[in-house]
Each structure stands twice: as C-alpha cells, then as structure tokens.
Amino acid sequence: MSRIEALNRRYAASSSLIRNGVEILAVGDPVGARLNAACRWLMFRVGEDGPELWDDLLGSVKSLRWRLMTQPQPLDFNPALRDGASEVFRQTHLLRGAVVEDALLDELAAAAAGVSAQDPVLGDVLLRSVQEVGATDCVVVAANASARAAMGEWLRPLGINVLTVSALRHVKPGVEQSYAVGPPRYFGPSLVNAPVTDDVTFLMPAWFRDRQIPCSVLTPYAEGAIRVRARLFLEGDLAEPALQGEGKEDFEEEFLPQPVWGSPRSPDREPLSDEVEARKLLLSGNRGLWLDNGERIRAIDPEQPIGERVVYIDVESVRVGTYLLLREGETEHEVLYDAALSRLGDHCLEVAATQEAWKERLQRRLSQLGRSRVEHELRSAGVRTVERAPAWREPHLVRPQSDQDFEKLLQWLDLPVQPSFGNATLLRREIYRTIAQIREQLEAAVSAADLSVLERDGHLSLDVESAGFRGILAARVIAISPQTEIIPRNEARVPFDDWSGKWLE
C-alpha cells in the first residue's frame, strides 16, 4: 500500500468514526471491582499517613490493577497476573504488625486472592466479540508492548492479530474493527483521531469511571474542532462495593504505577571536567541508565525487516517504549574509540596526542571563562553549534560534526588547524568503519534472537562474538526522569541495577 493510499484510508476511517462514534463496552467485573475498592481505600490511608511505609504494597496493588485492565487473558496464559496477585499477598504479610490497619490488609489480601482464583471476565468478552466479527476482519489493540506480547501468546494461535497503537500502520486493508483493551485514556488521541479501521471499540471494566475519549491538545483551542462521541454499552454483573476516596475519578493518574525518582543528587551547577549532565532512564529488568546529551545512541527497532533492526537514534528521540542496545559494564563509546585507534597502527599515538591537546585546551578555557563566556566568544568567532562546546571536551566525542565549526574552534583555541583537523577526521572515519563492522555482528545476533521474548519481558541478552562487545543488553525504556542531574562521566550510558521501576512492568 502506498503512502497516499494509506492516508486516504485513514481519512475514510476518520469520517466513519465522526459519523458513528466509538463504542465503549464496560464489562461488570466484581472481582476487579473489589480490588479497585481496596486500592482506593489504600490510597486514602496513604494520603493520611504518607507513602514511605506503604510504598511497596501500594506499588504492587497499582501494578495488579493495571494488569487486570490491560492483560485480560485467561490465567493459563497470564503468569504476570498470578505473580502480581502473589506479590500483593506477600506485601500485606510483610506489613502485619507494622501497621494497625489489619482490616485493610485483610481486604487487600482477599481481593488479590480473588483475582488469582478466576479468569478475568474481560477476556471472555474480548474473545466473544472477536469471534462474532471474525478474526481476519478485526485487530486487538494493546495498551503497550508488554500487554501486546502477553495477549499475543493467547490470541495469535487463534489467528487474531494483536498490535500496539504505533504498529497499527501495518494493518492490512479490509480490517474493519479495532478492539482496544483498556480505558480510552490509556491509548491517547491518535487511535481515534487517526484510525486505521472504520470502527473502534474500547473494552474496559465497568468499575473504571473515566470513559472520556482523548482528544488532541489543540482541540480546546480550535474553532469548530471535531470531537468523536462515544456510545456506552454495559454488560455483566455491575455490582460494586462501596468506595473509599470517592470523587477521585478525575485523578486516575494517581492510581497508575509510578516510578520512584527520589531527590536530585547534585546541585544546580555546571559539570566539572570529569562530569556530565544526564537524565535517568529506568529500563525493563530492574535496570537503570544515565543518558547524557550526546548525539546518538544505539537501539533496536523490532518492527523493521531482518537486517535493518539495529539503528542509531538521536538521544532526543528516546521515548518510553524505545529498545536501547547497551554494553554491560562499559560504554559503547569507549569500546569504539579504542577499537578505532587500534586500526590506525603506528599513527595512533600522534592522533591520540593531538586529540588530547585540543580537548585539554578547550577544557582549560571552559574552566577559566565559564560556559556562557565560551559560548559567546565561539559565536563571535563564527562557530554555529556553540551549545555543543561542553560536549566536545569529552574524550570519546571525536570532533564537531561541521568542518567549519571545527576549524573555527581550533583557531579560537590558538592551535594550528593541521594536523589536529586531519587526525580527528581520520579517527572519525575509522570509528565509522568500526561501527559498520560491529553493526553487522549485532544485526546477526538480533536476527538470531527471539524478539518475542524481548517484547514480552522487555529485556534480552545478546551473544555477540566481536572482541569488546560481549555482554550486550537490549532493554526497553519504561520511564524517563523529568530532571537532569550531574554524574561522573564514567557512569553515563552504563546500565546498572535499579529497582525504582519494579512496579512499572
């Protein structure tokens, strides 16, 4: 299908949704309703006592509640739901004697036991709905990649396609119905604003009160903005227990699993020569990563064809759901830099010396003048990308991308353009060759790996034969810190154990 055909198809689907609206099928779920009520009771208690003592119990309950809404497959295909219920039960046991809320702990334990005792009712309704339409005429839309992998193990053997919103572009013509598993707010506006099927139905538990259809951020400000209406259908046993913390429907984000960021560990200052400014990422598999403001980082795109899945992406484009490709214990920059130098043979000492000379002089200017003054003087000297000046001093960032910027920088540093310019360019060329060689080997390892495991678990170890590249980890980004911190340079881009996101998966 050409891009024009795909665009026309989306316009036609949008017209259908505007005309007919979307369906919301809210299913009665007494077991889930009990867990939801217990979760609200716990939130009410945390609001009074503060979160520290309750953190792990609250995280496990939120995680189980999320899975119940987004992964409704039968228990035989749902180890995550069983494990989540067991974890809630374990956390209630650990708090016995530490808190006086025995009634709350009893209710949470009973609610978790109920979840693990019967198949989710939402799954039965989903399967029946798909079978009524026909597996080839519809697609099931998962809230995220892990939900897609979990439901896929159940539904794909039945010939039912399961995709995330971002993968809907791969839907073949002729598919008329999308079944989104979860509340509308979990999918964002694109599923409705740019649909690929004529009909969209959200399947969600009736106890989840927020049923609003998301709209574009521009909609409130647009004259004559188009809003898609919703048609609500209820079915099943709608009985629910009384809720603690009523009136919180507008604050559903409080009930979602949240990362633990803690307080920033560095003051508001400029990094020293052996430091960088970085943002913390939480990765699947209880890992963390400090991502600096370098230009690119290696990643995996599982949706690309075999042989094209290993890619470099801009640091600014790293998002929740991105699969990063990382080396255990050491940054990839270090390995590439050392490998490229070794390819230069007898010339490597001279190249290393000129690199060290101009970077050391740049560091001295930054220390003496400060970042603002350096950027001002470089701009006056004709350098365009002055904001990159602090990064250029890093040992493994070979040189500015622009030839003109590099020449102007060397002149401003009172250094002759040659041989520093030629040596840095030669080193960069060898790094590119090394990257190409390593990429082929990484691509072979990725092609041989079972990427369904990566999608299901969120992380995967790869066996790469190249020297210096053993211990390669592919891991999904599950959260990104809202603030940056100053860290030692050697800690950037090296994965480490971190349990701050253990309730996010």
Side-chain angles (χ1 to χ4, degrees):
M1 180 189 302
S2 70
R3 294 181 62 183
I4 293 178
E5 289 173 330
L7 185 60
N8 288 338
R9 178 184 172 196
R10 293 211 170 197
Y11 273 119
S14 296
S15 177
S16 176
L17 285 191
I18 292 169
R19 183 172 58 254
N20 301 320
V22 301
E23 290 186 359
I24 295 179
L25 182 54
V27 180
D29 175 19
V31 170
R34 185 178 187 182
L35 178 70
N36 178 58
C39 181
R40 288 176 176 275
W41 185 1
L42 177 60
M43 289 286 290
F44 180 76
R45 177 55 57 206
V46 170
E48 291 186 340
D49 296 347
E52 293 184 3
L53 184 62
W54 300 96
D55 271 347
D56 284 335
L57 176 58
L58 182 59
S60 65
V61 173
K62 287 180 177 180
S63 179
L64 180 59
R65 182 177 179 267
W66 162 268
R67 292 173 184 174
L68 196 59
M69 288 186 285
T70 60
Q71 300 184 30
Q73 61 271 22
L75 292 176
D76 288 344
F77 297 89
N78 209 334
L81 196 65
R82 293 197 305 266
D83 293 345
S86 297
E87 184 62 28
V88 171
F89 190 84
R90 188 177 78 88
Q91 293 296 335
T92 60
H93 178 73
L94 291 175
L95 282 177
R96 300 284 182 183
V99 298
V100 296
E101 295 287 344
D102 286 343
L104 172 57
L105 297 180
D106 290 342
E107 181 60 18
L108 285 165
V115 169
S116 63
Q118 69 176 55
D119 293 338
V121 295
L122 196 62
D124 291 337
V125 176
L126 171 63
L127 187 57
R128 185 199 71 209
S129 300
V130 170
Q131 290 174 338
E132 288 176 353
V133 174
T136 59
D137 295 326
C138 68
V139 62
V140 172
V141 186
N144 58 19
S146 59
R148 172 191 177 183
M151 285 193 292
E153 293 184 0
W154 168 46
L155 295 176
R156 285 199 182 104
L158 303 175
I160 302 169
N161 198 13
V162 184
L163 299 173
T164 57
V165 173
S166 62
L168 283 176
R169 64 182 184 273
H170 300 305
V171 171
K172 297 178 180 179
V175 177
E176 300 176 354
Q177 173 76 53
S178 296
Y179 288 107
V181 182
R185 66 175 294 141
Y186 290 174
F187 295 88
S190 64
L191 181 60
V192 173
N193 292 348
V196 298
T197 59
D198 292 342
D199 298 302
V200 175
T201 298
F202 294 94
L203 285 87
M204 57 182 288
W207 48 259
F208 193 96
R209 294 292 186 264
D210 183 359
R211 298 162 184 166
Q212 293 186 2
I213 303 300
C215 59
S216 166
V217 294
L218 299 177
T219 297
Y221 310 100
E223 182 177 350
I226 296 173
R227 297 178 185 270
V228 177
R229 61 187 176 88
R231 293 174 286 132
L232 176 64
F233 298 90
L234 300 172
E235 75 165 68
D237 185 353
L238 302 176
E240 296 183 16
L243 296 178
Q244 293 276 357
E246 271 284 16
K248 281 187 172 289
E249 282 78 12
D250 293 336
F251 303 96
E252 173 58 32
E253 61 271 11
E254 296 180 14
F255 295 91
L256 297 178
Q258 300 289 338
V260 179
W261 296 118
S263 302
R265 68 180 191 180
S266 56
D268 185 14
R269 59 175 175 82
E270 293 185 3
L272 302 176
S273 60
D274 59 346
E275 296 176 327
V276 292
E277 190 173 0
R279 194 177 301 274
K280 187 179 182 182
L281 275 57
L282 298 181
L283 308 176
S284 184
N286 298 315
R287 296 296 189 93
L289 184 80
W290 291 106
L291 183 59
D292 60 353
N293 61 348
E295 294 177 351
R296 299 192 300 169
I297 188 168
R298 200 185 295 273
I300 291 179
D301 186 350
E303 296 182 8
Q304 295 300 316
I306 292 177
E308 301 178 17
R309 290 172 174 165
V310 177
V311 296
Y312 263 111
I313 61 174
D314 293 335
V315 167
E316 292 80 6
S317 66
V318 174
R319 299 287 184 269
V320 171
T322 300
Y323 292 96
L324 297 181
L325 201 53
L326 307 164
R327 186 179 188 276
E328 299 273 20
E330 189 177 9
T331 68
E332 181 181 327
H333 286 316
E334 293 172 331
V335 177
L336 289 173
Y337 190 89
D338 293 342
L341 272 179
S342 67
R343 294 169 66 109
L344 295 175
D346 295 339
H347 200 42
C348 70
L349 294 179
E350 178 188 342
V351 171
T354 54
Q355 285 292 102
E356 183 179 356
W358 73 262
K359 288 177 179 289
E360 189 278 332
R361 187 165 295 194
L362 175 59
Q363 173 57 50
R364 194 184 314 147
R365 294 276 180 96
L366 284 165
S367 300
Q368 292 172 347
L369 303 177
R371 176 172 178 170
S372 298
R373 178 68 181 276
V374 166
E375 290 183 0
H376 174 74
E377 292 194 7
L378 285 174
R379 190 177 290 107
S380 300
V383 178
R384 291 173 294 181
T385 54
V386 296
E387 71 281 354
R388 298 287 295 156
W392 292 334
R393 64 186 172 178
E394 297 177 13
H396 306 299
L397 188 58
V398 177
R399 44 152 289 182
Q401 287 288 340
S402 165
D403 288 349
Q404 179 180 340
D405 279 358
F406 193 26
E407 290 182 4
K408 297 293 185 182
L409 172 65
L410 292 172
Q411 293 168 359
W412 179 76
L413 292 172
D414 298 323
L415 290 171
V417 172
Q418 298 296 349
S420 296
F421 184 96
N423 284 341
T425 302
L426 178 61
L427 177 59
R428 183 174 66 176
R429 186 182 305 123
E430 291 304 323
I431 285 180
Y432 286 162
R433 289 176 178 170
T434 305
I435 287 174
Q437 178 185 356
I438 297 300
R439 182 187 177 281
E440 291 180 0
Q441 297 174 1
L442 289 173
E443 197 69 70
V446 170
S447 298
D450 183 358
L451 293 189
S452 65
V453 175
L454 176 62
E455 186 177 40
R456 183 194 67 210
D457 299 340
H459 55 95
L460 181 67
S461 294
L462 298 175
D463 186 17
V464 180
E465 296 300 326
S466 177
F469 267 80
R470 303 182 192 278
I472 295 294
L473 171 71
R476 182 168 58 227
V477 177
I478 58 175
I480 301 175
S481 172
Q483 72 268 342
T484 59
E485 299 183 26
I486 295 175
I487 64 165
R489 186 186 305 277
N490 59 5
E491 293 183 9
R493 304 198 181 197
V494 179
F496 55 89
D497 292 337
D498 191 303
W499 292 81
S500 303
K502 63 181 177 179
W503 304 120
L504 297 180
E505 297 187 77

